[in-house]
Coordinates of all heavy atoms in Angstrom, one line a residue:
M291 N 87.0 209.0 -188.0 CA 86.7 207.6 -188.4 C 85.2 207.4 -188.2 O 84.6 207.8 -187.2 CB 87.5 206.7 -187.5 CG 87.3 205.2 -187.9 SD 88.4 204.2 -186.9 CE 87.6 202.7 -187.1
V292 N 84.6 206.7 -189.1 CA 83.1 206.4 -189.0 C 82.9 205.2 -188.2 O 83.6 204.2 -188.4 CB 82.5 206.3 -190.4 CG1 81.1 205.9 -190.3 CG2 82.8 207.5 -191.3
S293 N 82.0 205.2 -187.3 CA 81.7 204.0 -186.4 C 81.1 202.9 -187.3 O 80.5 203.2 -188.3 CB 80.8 204.4 -185.3 OG 79.5 204.6 -185.8
R294 N 81.3 201.7 -186.8 CA 80.8 200.6 -187.6 C 79.3 200.6 -187.8 O 78.8 200.3 -188.8 CB 81.3 199.3 -186.9 CG 81.0 198.1 -187.6 CD 81.6 196.9 -186.9 NE 81.5 195.7 -187.8 CZ 82.2 194.6 -187.7 NH1 83.0 194.5 -186.7 NH2 82.0 193.6 -188.5
S295 N 78.6 201.0 -186.7 CA 77.1 201.0 -186.8 C 76.7 202.1 -187.8 O 75.7 201.9 -188.6 CB 76.5 201.2 -185.5 OG 76.9 202.5 -185.0
A296 N 77.3 203.2 -187.8 CA 77.0 204.3 -188.8 C 77.2 203.9 -190.2 O 76.4 204.1 -191.1 CB 77.7 205.6 -188.5
A297 N 78.4 203.2 -190.4 CA 78.7 202.7 -191.8 C 77.7 201.7 -192.2 O 77.2 201.7 -193.4 CB 80.1 202.2 -191.8
A298 N 77.3 200.8 -191.3 CA 76.3 199.7 -191.6 C 75.0 200.3 -191.9 O 74.3 199.9 -192.8 CB 76.2 198.7 -190.5
S299 N 74.6 201.4 -191.2 CA 73.3 202.1 -191.4 C 73.3 202.7 -192.8 O 72.3 202.6 -193.5 CB 73.1 203.2 -190.4 OG 73.0 202.6 -189.1
R300 N 74.4 203.3 -193.2 CA 74.4 203.9 -194.5 C 74.3 202.9 -195.6 O 73.7 203.1 -196.7 CB 75.7 204.8 -194.7 CG 75.5 206.2 -194.1 CD 76.6 207.1 -194.6 NE 77.0 207.8 -193.4 CZ 78.1 207.8 -192.8 NH1 79.1 207.0 -193.2 NH2 78.3 208.5 -191.7
A301 N 75.0 201.7 -195.4 CA 75.0 200.7 -196.4 C 73.6 200.2 -196.7 O 73.3 199.9 -197.9 CB 75.9 199.6 -195.9
V302 N 72.7 200.1 -195.7 CA 71.4 199.6 -196.0 C 70.4 200.7 -196.2 O 69.2 200.5 -196.3 CB 70.9 198.6 -194.9 CG1 71.8 197.4 -194.9 CG2 70.9 199.3 -193.6
G303 N 70.8 202.0 -196.2 CA 69.9 203.1 -196.4 C 69.1 203.5 -195.2 O 68.0 204.1 -195.3
V304 N 69.5 203.1 -194.0 CA 68.7 203.4 -192.8 C 69.3 204.7 -192.2 O 70.6 204.9 -192.2 CB 68.8 202.2 -191.8 CG1 68.1 202.6 -190.5 CG2 68.3 201.0 -192.5
R305 N 68.5 205.5 -191.6 CA 69.0 206.7 -190.9 C 69.9 206.3 -189.7 O 69.7 205.3 -189.1 CB 67.8 207.5 -190.3 CG 67.1 208.3 -191.3 CD 66.1 209.1 -190.6 NE 65.4 210.0 -191.6 CZ 64.8 211.1 -191.3 NH1 64.6 211.4 -190.0 NH2 64.2 211.8 -192.2
A306 N 71.0 207.2 -189.6 CA 71.9 207.0 -188.4 C 71.1 207.3 -187.1 O 70.2 208.2 -187.1 CB 73.0 207.9 -188.5
S307 N 71.4 206.6 -186.1 CA 70.7 206.8 -184.8 C 71.2 208.2 -184.2 O 72.2 208.7 -184.6 CB 70.9 205.7 -183.8 OG 72.2 205.7 -183.4
V308 N 70.4 208.7 -183.2 CA 70.8 209.9 -182.6 C 72.1 209.8 -181.9 O 72.9 210.7 -181.9 CB 69.7 210.3 -181.5 CG1 70.1 211.5 -180.7 CG2 68.4 210.6 -182.2
A309 N 72.5 208.6 -181.4 CA 73.8 208.4 -180.7 C 74.9 208.5 -181.7 O 76.0 208.8 -181.3 CB 73.8 207.0 -180.1
D310 N 74.7 208.3 -183.0 CA 75.8 208.4 -184.0 C 76.0 209.8 -184.5 O 76.9 210.1 -185.2 CB 75.4 207.5 -185.2 CG 75.5 206.1 -184.9 OD1 76.3 205.7 -183.9 OD2 74.8 205.3 -185.5
L311 N 75.1 210.8 -184.1 CA 75.2 212.1 -184.6 C 76.3 212.8 -184.0 O 76.5 212.7 -182.8 CB 73.9 212.9 -184.3 CG 72.7 212.5 -185.1 CD1 71.5 213.3 -184.7 CD2 72.9 212.6 -186.6
K312 N 77.1 213.5 -184.8 CA 78.3 214.3 -184.2 C 78.1 215.8 -184.4 O 78.7 216.6 -183.7 CB 79.5 213.9 -185.0 CG 79.9 212.4 -184.9 CD 80.3 212.0 -183.6 CE 80.8 210.6 -183.6 NZ 80.3 209.9 -182.4
H313 N 77.2 216.2 -185.3 CA 76.9 217.6 -185.5 C 75.4 217.9 -185.3 O 74.6 217.0 -185.8 CB 77.4 218.1 -186.8 CG 78.8 218.0 -187.0 ND1 79.5 216.9 -187.4 CD2 79.8 218.9 -186.7 CE1 80.8 217.1 -187.5 NE2 81.0 218.3 -187.1
F314 N 75.0 219.0 -184.8 CA 73.6 219.4 -184.6 C 73.4 220.7 -185.3 O 74.1 221.7 -184.9 CB 73.3 219.4 -183.1 CG 73.6 218.2 -182.4 CD1 74.8 218.0 -181.7 CD2 72.7 217.1 -182.3 CE1 75.1 216.8 -181.1 CE2 73.0 216.0 -181.7 CZ 74.2 215.8 -181.0
M315 N 72.5 220.8 -186.2 CA 72.2 222.1 -186.8 C 70.9 222.6 -186.3 O 69.9 222.0 -186.3 CB 72.1 221.8 -188.4 CG 72.0 223.2 -189.1 SD 72.0 222.9 -190.9 CE 70.3 222.8 -191.2
C316 N 70.9 223.9 -186.0 CA 69.7 224.6 -185.5 C 68.8 224.8 -186.7 O 69.2 225.3 -187.7 CB 70.1 226.0 -184.9 SG 68.7 226.9 -184.4
Y317 N 67.5 224.4 -186.5 CA 66.5 224.6 -187.6 C 65.9 225.9 -187.6 O 65.1 226.2 -188.5 CB 65.5 223.5 -187.5 CG 64.9 223.2 -186.1 CD1 63.9 224.0 -185.6 CD2 65.5 222.2 -185.4 CE1 63.5 223.7 -184.3 CE2 65.0 221.9 -184.1 CZ 64.0 222.7 -183.6 OH 63.5 222.5 -182.3
F318 N 66.3 226.8 -186.6 CA 65.8 228.2 -186.7 C 66.7 229.1 -187.5 O 66.3 229.9 -188.3 CB 65.6 228.8 -185.3 CG 64.5 228.2 -184.5 CD1 64.7 227.4 -183.5 CD2 63.2 228.6 -184.8 CE1 63.6 226.9 -182.7 CE2 62.1 228.1 -184.2 CZ 62.3 227.2 -183.1
C319 N 68.1 229.0 -187.2 CA 69.0 229.9 -187.8 C 70.1 229.2 -188.6 O 70.9 229.9 -189.2 CB 69.6 230.8 -186.7 SG 70.7 229.9 -185.5
G320 N 70.3 227.9 -188.5 CA 71.3 227.2 -189.2 C 72.6 227.1 -188.6 O 73.5 226.6 -189.2
D321 N 72.8 227.5 -187.4 CA 74.0 227.4 -186.6 C 74.3 225.9 -186.4 O 73.4 225.1 -186.2 CB 74.0 228.1 -185.3 CG 74.2 229.6 -185.4 OD1 74.4 230.1 -186.6 OD2 74.1 230.3 -184.4
M322 N 75.6 225.6 -186.4 CA 76.0 224.2 -186.2 C 76.7 224.0 -184.8 O 77.4 224.9 -184.4 CB 77.0 223.7 -187.3 CG 76.5 223.7 -188.7 SD 75.4 222.3 -188.9 CE 76.6 220.9 -188.9
F323 N 76.4 222.9 -184.2 CA 77.0 222.7 -182.9 C 77.6 221.3 -182.8 O 77.0 220.3 -183.4 CB 75.9 222.8 -181.8 CG 75.4 224.2 -181.6 CD1 74.3 224.6 -182.4 CD2 76.0 225.1 -180.8 CE1 73.9 225.9 -182.3 CE2 75.5 226.4 -180.7 CZ 74.5 226.8 -181.4
K324 N 78.7 221.1 -182.1 CA 79.3 219.8 -181.9 C 78.9 219.2 -180.6 O 78.9 218.0 -180.4 CB 80.8 219.8 -182.0 CG 81.2 220.1 -183.4 CD 82.7 220.1 -183.5 CE 83.2 220.4 -185.0 NZ 84.6 220.4 -185.1
N325 N 78.5 220.1 -179.7 CA 78.1 219.6 -178.3 C 76.6 219.7 -178.2 O 76.0 220.7 -178.4 CB 78.8 220.6 -177.3 CG 78.5 220.2 -175.9 OD1 77.4 219.7 -175.5 ND2 79.5 220.4 -175.0
K326 N 76.0 218.6 -177.8 CA 74.5 218.5 -177.7 C 74.0 219.4 -176.6 O 72.9 220.0 -176.8 CB 74.1 217.1 -177.5 CG 72.6 216.9 -177.6 CD 72.2 215.5 -177.7 CE 70.7 215.4 -177.9 NZ 70.2 214.1 -178.0
D327 N 74.7 219.6 -175.5 CA 74.2 220.4 -174.4 C 74.1 221.9 -174.9 O 73.2 222.6 -174.6 CB 75.1 220.3 -173.2 CG 74.9 219.0 -172.5 OD1 73.9 218.3 -172.7 OD2 75.9 218.5 -171.8
E328 N 75.2 222.3 -175.6 CA 75.2 223.7 -176.2 C 74.1 223.8 -177.2 O 73.4 224.9 -177.2 CB 76.5 224.0 -176.9 CG 77.7 224.2 -175.9 CD 79.0 224.4 -176.7 OE1 78.9 224.7 -177.9 OE2 80.0 224.3 -176.0
F329 N 73.8 222.8 -178.0 CA 72.7 222.9 -178.9 C 71.4 223.0 -178.2 O 70.5 223.8 -178.6 CB 72.8 221.6 -179.8 CG 71.6 221.5 -180.8 CD1 71.4 222.4 -181.8 CD2 70.7 220.4 -180.7 CE1 70.4 222.3 -182.7 CE2 69.7 220.3 -181.5 CZ 69.5 221.2 -182.5
N330 N 71.2 222.2 -177.2 CA 69.9 222.3 -176.5 C 69.7 223.7 -175.8 O 68.6 224.2 -175.8 CB 69.8 221.2 -175.4 CG 69.6 219.8 -176.0 OD1 69.0 219.7 -177.1 ND2 70.0 218.8 -175.3
L331 N 70.8 224.2 -175.3 CA 70.7 225.6 -174.7 C 70.4 226.6 -175.8 O 69.5 227.5 -175.6 CB 72.0 225.9 -174.0 CG 72.1 227.3 -173.3 CD1 71.0 227.4 -172.2 CD2 73.4 227.6 -172.8
H332 N 71.0 226.4 -177.0 CA 70.7 227.3 -178.1 C 69.2 227.3 -178.5 O 68.6 228.3 -178.7 CB 71.6 227.0 -179.2 CG 71.4 227.8 -180.5 ND1 72.0 229.0 -180.6 CD2 70.7 227.6 -181.6 CE1 71.7 229.5 -181.8 NE2 70.9 228.7 -182.4
K333 N 68.7 226.0 -178.6 CA 67.2 225.9 -178.9 C 66.4 226.5 -177.9 O 65.4 227.1 -178.2 CB 66.9 224.4 -179.0 CG 67.3 223.7 -180.3 CD 66.7 222.4 -180.5 CE 66.8 221.5 -179.4 NZ 66.2 220.1 -179.6
F334 N 66.7 226.3 -176.6 CA 66.0 226.9 -175.5 C 65.9 228.4 -175.6 O 64.9 229.0 -175.4 CB 66.6 226.5 -174.1 CG 65.9 227.0 -172.9 CD1 64.7 226.6 -172.5 CD2 66.5 228.1 -172.2 CE1 64.0 227.1 -171.4 CE2 65.9 228.6 -171.1 CZ 64.6 228.1 -170.7
N335 N 67.1 229.0 -176.0 CA 67.1 230.5 -176.1 C 66.2 230.9 -177.2 O 65.5 232.0 -177.1 CB 68.6 230.9 -176.4 CG 69.4 230.9 -175.2 OD1 68.9 230.9 -174.1 ND2 70.7 230.8 -175.4
H336 N 66.1 230.2 -178.3 CA 65.2 230.5 -179.4 C 63.8 230.4 -178.9 O 62.9 231.3 -179.3 CB 65.3 229.5 -180.6 CG 66.4 229.9 -181.6 ND1 66.4 231.1 -182.2 CD2 67.5 229.2 -182.0 CE1 67.5 231.1 -183.0 NE2 68.2 230.0 -182.9
Q337 N 63.4 229.4 -178.1 CA 62.1 229.3 -177.6 C 61.7 230.5 -176.7 O 60.6 231.0 -176.7 CB 61.9 228.0 -176.9 CG 62.0 226.8 -177.8 CD 62.1 225.5 -177.1 OE1 62.4 225.4 -175.9 NE2 61.9 224.4 -177.8
V338 N 62.7 230.9 -175.8 CA 62.5 232.1 -175.0 C 62.2 233.3 -175.8 O 61.3 234.1 -175.5 CB 63.6 232.3 -174.0 CG1 63.6 233.6 -173.3 CG2 63.7 231.1 -173.0
E339 N 63.0 233.5 -176.9 CA 62.8 234.6 -177.7 C 61.4 234.6 -178.4 O 60.7 235.7 -178.5 CB 63.8 234.6 -178.9 CG 65.2 235.0 -178.4 CD 66.3 234.8 -179.5 OE1 65.9 234.3 -180.7 OE2 67.4 235.0 -179.3
D340 N 61.0 233.4 -178.8 CA 59.6 233.3 -179.4 C 58.5 233.7 -178.4 O 57.6 234.4 -178.8 CB 59.4 231.9 -179.9 CG 60.2 231.6 -181.2 OD1 60.6 232.6 -181.8 OD2 60.2 230.4 -181.6
I341 N 58.7 233.2 -177.2 CA 57.7 233.5 -176.2 C 57.6 235.0 -175.9 O 56.6 235.6 -175.8 CB 57.9 232.7 -174.9 CG1 57.6 231.2 -175.2 CG2 57.0 233.2 -173.8 CD1 58.1 230.3 -174.1
A342 N 58.8 235.6 -175.8 CA 58.9 237.0 -175.5 C 58.3 237.8 -176.6 O 57.5 238.8 -176.4 CB 60.4 237.5 -175.3
Y343 N 58.5 237.4 -177.9 CA 57.9 238.1 -179.0 C 56.4 238.0 -179.0 O 55.7 239.0 -179.3 CB 58.5 237.5 -180.3 CG 57.9 238.0 -181.6 CD1 58.3 239.3 -182.1 CD2 56.9 237.3 -182.3 CE1 57.7 239.8 -183.2 CE2 56.3 237.9 -183.4 CZ 56.7 239.1 -183.9 OH 56.2 239.6 -185.0
Q344 N 55.9 236.8 -178.7 CA 54.4 236.6 -178.7 C 53.8 237.4 -177.6 O 52.7 238.0 -177.8 CB 54.1 235.1 -178.4 CG 54.4 234.2 -179.6 CD 54.2 232.8 -179.3 OE1 53.7 232.4 -178.3 NE2 54.7 231.9 -180.2
V345 N 54.5 237.5 -176.4 CA 53.9 238.4 -175.3 C 53.9 239.8 -175.7 O 52.9 240.5 -175.6 CB 54.8 238.2 -174.0 CG1 54.4 239.2 -173.0 CG2 54.5 236.8 -173.5
A346 N 55.0 240.3 -176.3 CA 55.1 241.7 -176.8 C 54.0 242.0 -177.8 O 53.4 243.0 -177.8 CB 56.5 242.0 -177.3
Q347 N 53.8 241.0 -178.8 CA 52.8 241.2 -179.8 C 51.4 241.3 -179.2 O 50.6 242.1 -179.6 CB 52.9 240.1 -180.9 CG 52.2 240.4 -182.2 CD 52.5 239.4 -183.2 OE1 52.8 238.2 -182.9 NE2 52.5 239.8 -184.5
N348 N 51.1 240.4 -178.3 CA 49.8 240.4 -177.6 C 49.6 241.7 -176.9 O 48.4 242.3 -177.0 CB 49.7 239.2 -176.6 CG 49.2 238.0 -177.2 OD1 48.8 238.0 -178.4 ND2 49.4 236.9 -176.5
E349 N 50.6 242.2 -176.2 CA 50.4 243.5 -175.6 C 50.2 244.6 -176.6 O 49.4 245.5 -176.4 CB 51.6 243.8 -174.7 CG 51.7 243.0 -173.5 CD 52.9 243.3 -172.6 OE1 53.7 244.2 -173.0 OE2 53.1 242.6 -171.6
F350 N 50.8 244.6 -177.7 CA 50.7 245.6 -178.8 C 49.2 245.5 -179.3 O 48.5 246.5 -179.4 CB 51.7 245.3 -179.9 CG 51.5 246.3 -181.1 CD1 51.8 247.6 -181.0 CD2 50.9 245.8 -182.2 CE1 51.7 248.5 -182.0 CE2 50.7 246.7 -183.3 CZ 51.1 248.0 -183.2
V351 N 48.7 244.3 -179.6 CA 47.4 244.1 -180.1 C 46.3 244.6 -179.1 O 45.4 245.3 -179.4 CB 47.1 242.7 -180.5 CG1 45.6 242.4 -180.7 CG2 47.9 242.3 -181.7
S352 N 46.6 244.3 -177.8 CA 45.7 244.7 -176.7 C 45.6 246.2 -176.7 O 44.5 246.8 -176.6 CB 46.1 244.2 -175.4 OG 46.1 242.8 -175.4
S353 N 46.8 246.9 -176.7 CA 46.8 248.4 -176.6 C 46.2 249.0 -177.9 O 45.5 250.0 -177.8 CB 48.2 248.9 -176.4 OG 49.1 248.3 -177.2
C354 N 46.3 248.3 -179.1 CA 45.7 248.9 -180.3 C 44.1 248.8 -180.1 O 43.4 249.7 -180.5 CB 46.1 248.1 -181.5 SG 47.8 248.5 -182.1
L355 N 43.7 247.6 -179.6 CA 42.2 247.5 -179.4 C 41.7 248.5 -178.4 O 40.6 249.1 -178.6 CB 41.9 246.1 -178.9 CG 42.0 245.0 -179.9 CD1 41.8 243.6 -179.3 CD2 40.9 245.2 -181.0
L356 N 42.4 248.8 -177.4 CA 42.0 249.8 -176.4 C 41.9 251.1 -177.0 O 41.0 251.9 -176.8 CB 43.0 249.7 -175.2 CG 42.7 250.7 -174.1 CD1 41.3 250.4 -173.4 CD2 43.8 250.7 -173.0
I357 N 42.9 251.5 -177.8 CA 43.0 252.8 -178.4 C 41.8 252.9 -179.4 O 41.1 254.0 -179.5 CB 44.3 253.0 -179.2 CG1 45.4 253.2 -178.1 CG2 44.2 254.2 -180.1 CD1 46.8 253.2 -178.7
T358 N 41.5 251.9 -180.1 CA 40.4 251.9 -181.1 C 39.1 252.1 -180.3 O 38.2 252.9 -180.8 CB 40.3 250.5 -181.9 OG1 41.6 250.4 -182.5 CG2 39.3 250.6 -182.9
C359 N 38.9 251.4 -179.2 CA 37.7 251.5 -178.4 C 37.5 252.9 -177.9 O 36.4 253.5 -177.9 CB 37.7 250.5 -177.3 SG 37.4 248.8 -177.8
I360 N 38.6 253.5 -177.4 CA 38.6 254.9 -176.8 C 38.2 255.9 -178.0 O 37.4 256.8 -177.8 CB 40.0 255.2 -176.2 CG1 40.1 254.4 -174.9 CG2 40.0 256.7 -175.9 CD1 41.5 254.6 -174.3
L361 N 38.8 255.7 -179.1 CA 38.6 256.6 -180.3 C 37.1 256.5 -180.7 O 36.4 257.5 -180.9 CB 39.5 256.3 -181.4 CG 40.9 256.8 -181.3 CD1 41.8 256.3 -182.5 CD2 41.0 258.3 -181.2
A362 N 36.6 255.2 -180.8 CA 35.2 255.0 -181.2 C 34.3 255.6 -180.2 O 33.3 256.3 -180.6 CB 34.9 253.5 -181.3
F363 N 34.6 255.5 -178.9 CA 33.7 256.0 -177.8 C 33.7 257.6 -177.9 O 32.7 258.2 -177.8 CB 34.2 255.5 -176.5 CG 33.5 256.1 -175.3 CD1 32.2 255.7 -175.0 CD2 34.0 257.1 -174.5 CE1 31.4 256.2 -174.0 CE2 33.3 257.6 -173.5 CZ 32.0 257.2 -173.2
S364 N 34.9 258.1 -178.1 CA 35.0 259.6 -178.1 C 34.4 260.2 -179.3 O 33.7 261.2 -179.3 CB 36.5 260.1 -178.0 OG 37.2 259.5 -179.0
V365 N 34.5 259.5 -180.5 CA 33.8 260.0 -181.7 C 32.3 259.9 -181.4 O 31.5 260.9 -181.8 CB 34.2 259.1 -182.9 CG1 33.2 259.3 -184.1 CG2 35.6 259.4 -183.3
E366 N 31.8 258.9 -180.8 CA 30.4 258.8 -180.5 C 29.9 259.8 -179.5 O 28.8 260.5 -179.7 CB 30.1 257.4 -179.9 CG 28.6 257.0 -179.8 CD 28.4 255.6 -179.4 OE1 29.1 254.7 -179.9 OE2 27.6 255.4 -178.5
V367 N 30.7 260.1 -178.5 CA 30.3 261.1 -177.5 C 30.4 262.5 -178.1 O 29.4 263.3 -177.9 CB 31.3 261.0 -176.3 CG1 31.1 262.2 -175.4 CG2 31.0 259.7 -175.5
F368 N 31.4 262.8 -178.8 CA 31.6 264.2 -179.3 C 30.7 264.5 -180.5 O 30.6 265.6 -180.9 CB 33.0 264.5 -179.6 CG 33.9 264.6 -178.4 CD1 34.9 263.7 -178.1 CD2 33.6 265.5 -177.4 CE1 35.6 263.7 -177.0 CE2 34.4 265.6 -176.3 CZ 35.4 264.7 -176.0
S369 N 30.1 263.4 -181.2 CA 29.3 263.7 -182.3 C 27.9 264.1 -181.9 O 27.1 264.5 -182.7 CB 29.3 262.5 -183.3 OG 28.7 261.4 -182.6
E370 N 27.6 263.9 -180.6 CA 26.2 264.2 -180.2 C 26.0 265.6 -179.8 O 26.9 266.3 -179.5 CB 25.9 263.3 -179.0 CG 25.7 261.8 -179.3 CD 25.5 261.0 -178.1 OE1 25.5 261.5 -177.0 OE2 25.3 259.8 -178.3
Ligands
ZN1200 ZN1 69.6 228.9 -183.9

């Protein structure tokens, strides 16, 4: 059953308030949740994954720069 406030909101073309929401869709992967706490935990897990990915990528870039510097130095040393 639709609550009275939600029906009234649709009638005048106004967005339903957050309190009227019954389903939550993840904007990262599209999963649907009925429980807001589970949805918030799911979003938190996505954020942790993003941070872990960024840290791993930074470490990869740093090691690539280090290897490039070592190669450039060794080419310079051995070419003399
Ligand atoms: Zn998701």
Side-chain angles (χ1 to χ4, degrees):
M291 182 175 161
V292 179
S293 71
R294 187 174 188 162
S295 62
S299 297
R300 276 193 222 115
V302 293
V304 178
R305 283 185 173 200
S307 71
V308 175
D310 291 333
L311 293 178
K312 301 289 185 224
H313 295 89
F314 304 92
M315 190 174 90
C316 175
Y317 43 84
F318 287 109
C319 67
D321 283 356
M322 293 286 289
F323 294 89
K324 291 184 178 177
N325 183 325
K326 190 169 185 179
D327 291 335
E328 288 178 13
F329 175 62
N330 285 335
L331 180 63
H332 180 82
K333 281 194 309 184
F334 178 74
N335 287 337
H336 274 303
Q337 291 169 345
V338 169
E339 286 172 1
D340 284 347
I341 291 170
Y343 176 77
Q344 288 172 12
V345 168
Q347 196 172 27
N348 273 348
E349 287 179 5
F350 176 74
V351 168
S352 298
S353 43
C354 284
L355 285 174
L356 179 64
I357 290 170
T358 305
C359 288
I360 291 171
L361 285 175
F363 178 75
S364 57
V365 165
E366 189 174 314
V367 166
F368 291 116
S369 64
E370 292 177 354

